[in-house]
Amino acid sequence: MATIIDGKLIAQQVRSALKEEIAYLRDKKGLQPGLAVVLVGNDPASQVYVRNKKRACEEVGIASFAHELVAGTTQKELLALVERLNRDPAVHGILVQLPLPDQIDETRILNAIAPDKDADGFHPVNVGRLATGTPVFRPCTPWGVMELLRASGVDPAGRHAVVVGRSNIVGKPVALMLLAAHATVTICHSRTPDLAVQVGRADILVAAVGKPRMIAGDWIKPGATVIDVGINRLPDGKLCGDVDFEAARQRAAAITPVPGGVGPMTIAMLLKNTVEAAKRSRGLVA
Ligand code: NDP
């Protein structure tokens, strides 16, 4: 029976360490890290995410600046706000909550964020830095996956990692991070034939698809580490991952639950990126 990888606990440890570091930066260096969170429109899920991010900032001592704009905001208005935040010295990290309304070109907005304030790690400059092995700001969810592995004592070096999903926010960056950690990496997607065979070769499996329990328990290699990024809502309102958890835990050595696995890590790593950005603004990191 697999060990459960407790994302809530590991995220809490990341946040506690950050809290101490932030207190030191504020008291000894006069540096108050700040994160601007921009929300356009009134999508209820996005409102919850923004509220959670604000609360998480407050808990660790990061100043949060919430900008809530009406659904009809134009691209020009949003660009003007991003440019103002780029110039604001109290703001070290900028996060624009996705998705944005149809009249706004998401790529255009993400590319307008100053790469050195890119707390989400989505700017092409930061994607390029990650791809070339010199990461500065890493996308938060994939970085959270790597932190879960590290905290669980799973070293990807020399292991076969299989990533199911190739999105820009999860699949591709997590594959790059696993590669940088010296795993042999296979990336699967909707056109991959024999997914079960590929999954069965994984010492480390990362599932980032968005389809409830699509990865069957008997596909899993005995002794594998399973990281389930998927968050799916079932008709009864409960959440589940992309992996059939109950069956998979019979074969895996370690597995993340949903909820309580990868989910809590995303915000923790966002806070870490913000502190990194604040330190960089003062030349406190190499
Ligand atoms: P996307 O929809 O952007 O990507 C899904 C990927 O899964 C695509 O690459 C797609 O392939 C692939 N896929 C779809 N169907 C299959 C299939 N039958 N077999 C193999 N691959 C398939 O999703 P995201 O990456 O944004 O998110 C994935 C999941 O992770 C979602 O459940 C999301 O809610 C969750 N998530 C959780 C986060 C957190 O924990 N904080 C943060 C971000 C996401 P193709 O490219 O060929 O279409």
Side-chain angles (χ1 to χ4, degrees):
M1 188 72 104
T3 304
I4 306 297
I5 299 176
D6 186 345
K8 264 196 205 158
L9 180 70
I10 297 168
Q12 185 52 51
Q13 288 163 350
V14 171
R15 290 207 302 257
S16 300
L18 279 175
K19 195 171 179 173
E20 269 180 37
E21 187 177 8
I22 292 163
Y24 166 81
L25 290 172
R26 216 177 27 219
D27 299 345
K28 304 283 187 230
K29 301 281 177 192
L31 176 60
Q32 167 62 67
L35 176 70
V37 181
V38 180
L39 173 65
V40 185
N42 39 24
D43 173 56
S46 295
Q47 283 174 330
V48 171
Y49 294 142
V50 165
R51 210 179 310 138
N52 289 344
K53 286 168 187 170
K54 201 166 180 293
R55 195 181 311 133
C57 281
E58 282 159 10
E59 268 171 32
V60 295
I62 292 176
S64 71
F65 308 97
H67 294 267
E68 300 194 5
L69 309 181
V70 294
T73 300
T74 63
Q75 174 153 307
K76 204 172 157 202
E77 286 165 336
L78 184 55
L79 276 173
L81 172 61
V82 168
E83 272 151 26
R84 187 153 60 77
L85 296 172
N86 281 344
R87 288 191 303 269
D88 185 341
V91 171
H92 302 103
I94 302 171
L95 180 149
V96 177
Q97 185 65 47
L98 303 178
L100 290 168
D102 290 348
Q103 75 274 16
I104 297 176
D105 176 351
E106 256 174 34
T107 307
R108 184 80 201 281
I109 300 298
L110 295 182
N111 291 1
I113 295 172
D116 287 344
K117 295 192 176 189
D118 176 30
D120 255 338
F122 292 157
H123 192 286
V125 166
N126 287 314
V127 177
R129 286 166 166 165
L130 178 65
T132 52
T134 52
V136 175
F137 302 112
R138 299 162 176 87
C140 303
T141 301
W143 195 16
V145 169
M146 298 307 287
E147 182 61 22
L148 287 177
L149 292 175
R150 196 198 57 75
S152 310
V154 178
D155 181 0
R159 318 287 292 280
H160 190 169
V162 175
V163 178
V164 190
R166 57 172 166 179
S167 71
N168 288 334
I169 62 168
V170 190
K172 272 188 230 166
V174 86
L176 285 171
M177 289 178 199
L178 287 161
L179 188 61
H182 311 297
T184 301
V185 182
T186 299
I187 306 174
C188 303
H189 46 79
S190 65
R191 310 280 184 94
T192 301
D194 298 330
L195 185 63
V197 172
Q198 298 300 338
V199 167
R201 295 166 62 213
D203 301 313
I204 298 170
L205 174 70
V206 179
V209 182
K211 297 207 165 142
R213 298 178 184 141
M214 70 155 294
I215 294 177
D218 61 6
W219 296 4
I220 307 289
K221 179 175 175 177
T225 300
V226 177
I227 308 287
D228 192 349
V229 183
I231 302 178
N232 307 290
R233 197 165 288 280
L234 296 168
D236 66 3
K238 289 196 181 132
L239 295 180
C240 80
D242 292 341
V243 177
D244 182 349
F245 178 81
E246 286 305 329
R249 70 188 293 203
Q250 309 296 329
R251 290 169 73 96
I255 187 166
T256 57
V258 177
V262 177
M265 297 303 292
T266 299
I267 292 186
M269 303 326 267
L270 169 72
L271 303 175
K272 215 164 149 70
N273 269 342
T274 304
V275 172
E276 181 73 14
K279 290 191 325 197
R280 283 175 65 86
S281 75
R282 283 284 192 83
L284 295 175
V285 281

